Amino acid sequence: MGIGTSIFLIALGAILTFALDASVGGIDLDVVGWILMGAGVLGLIMTTLIFSRRRQVVTTTEQPVEYRQVEERRDIAPPL
């Protein structure tokens, strides 16, 4: 789940919980809204943790093992 999806779930849950005053038979929209907001917050936390681990920079002090020299051949005609 990305940051955008998490924010969407939080906003949708807040709308269902605080702004909507409708009733659906057998479904409590306030509870559905709180569940969506919780899932959005959890997704936002998990996404932040994953991105923070991905951004860690690893530095090495070793030199490359092998250098290769590339030469350009001029004796072959270029393609048409």
Side-chain angles (χ1 to χ4, degrees), residues 4-69:
T5 306
S6 299
I7 293 174
F8 175 75
L9 287 178
I10 293 170
L12 184 63
I15 289 170
L16 287 176
T17 302
F18 303 118
L20 197 61
D21 193 22
S23 60
V24 177
I27 298 175
D28 189 5
L29 292 179
D30 288 340
V31 173
V32 173
W34 283 108
I35 291 171
L36 288 175
M37 284 191 290
V41 169
L42 184 64
L44 193 62
I45 291 170
M46 295 300 290
T47 303
T48 304
L49 290 175
I50 290 171
F51 279 140
S52 68
R53 287 186 182 191
R54 191 181 295 175
R55 289 185 173 203
Q56 290 177 349
V57 177
V58 177
T59 57
T60 59
T61 57
E62 298 177 19
Q63 295 294 327
V65 177
E66 176 185 339
Y67 289 104
R68 289 190 255 168
Q69 185 174 1

